[in-house]
Amino acid sequence: MIKILIGITSLIFIIIGMLHVFWAFGGSWRVNTALPTKDDSELPVLRPRMLGPLFIGLLCFFASVLLIVQLDLLAAIKSSPLSKWLCIAGGIVFLLRAIGEGIYVGFFKKIKHTRFAKQDTAFYSPLCVWISLIFFSSIIYMRFRQSTYG
């Protein structure tokens, strides 16, 4: 079951990565709900250029592969202490993202009435909790598997 959940999460990372690459090259679909705003004026708090979304997209692709590697589902690359520590780092990063920085993003944000804030509360932050749990679950699964099968 955990392999299926990790596979779904890996696919989610690929989709999110493709969306960020799309935005990096000028796409605008759903970008108005993906960036935090101070108020309903639709003026985003930050204005990412090409490299920001492209970098995030590449990190999403990397995270997708990392989860697959951690489960030893990729024959060319085996799980290692490095993949374990990267999964721990990923779990921490996404948990911190879900908690938020206190103003614009996360469950404990102060600005809660904008379009982004509503999407963040309903979708983005819970997804970050899910991803964090999947990263940590992949480590627990591999530890259990290694102790069971030697």
Side-chain angles (χ1 to χ4, degrees):
M1 181 65 156
I2 189 69
K3 286 184 178 183
I4 293 170
L5 296 176
I6 289 173
I8 290 169
T9 305
S10 183
L11 182 61
I12 289 169
F13 269 124
I14 291 170
I15 292 167
I16 293 170
M18 289 175 12
L19 185 58
H20 278 82
V21 170
F22 171 73
W23 288 333
F25 289 101
S28 61
W29 181 75
R30 302 288 292 173
V31 76
N32 60 343
T33 60
L35 293 171
T37 57
K38 289 183 181 182
D39 52 33
D40 284 326
S41 68
E42 301 296 322
L43 293 174
V45 174
L46 56 110
R47 295 183 185 268
R49 307 269 189 239
M50 180 183 195
L51 289 180
L54 189 59
F55 181 69
I56 298 299
L58 292 175
L59 282 177
C60 287
F61 297 139
F62 175 78
S64 175
V65 172
L66 176 63
L67 285 172
I68 292 169
V69 165
Q70 181 62 21
L71 289 185
D72 281 334
L73 296 177
L74 195 60
I77 306 171
K78 295 291 179 190
S79 66
S80 67
L82 177 61
S83 65
K84 173 187 162 188
W85 285 106
L86 289 172
C87 283
I88 290 170
I92 291 169
V93 165
F94 278 96
L95 185 59
L96 290 174
R97 163 52 182 89
I99 293 169
E101 87 327 343
I103 300 172
Y104 299 111
V105 298
F107 287 120
F108 300 104
K109 63 185 160 289
K110 289 183 177 144
I111 296 179
K112 299 180 180 195
H113 63 279
T114 64
R115 184 183 297 179
F116 169 83
K118 291 174 185 172
Q119 288 280 20
D120 184 57
T121 300
F123 185 69
Y124 306 142
S125 290
L127 180 62
C128 288
V129 170
W130 169 263
I131 290 170
S132 180
L133 290 174
I134 289 295
F135 271 121
F136 292 135
S137 297
S138 72
I139 298 162
I140 294 167
Y141 172 79
M142 284 307 290
R143 185 167 213 173
F144 173 75
R145 185 171 162 220
Q146 288 168 351
S147 68
T148 304
Y149 298 109

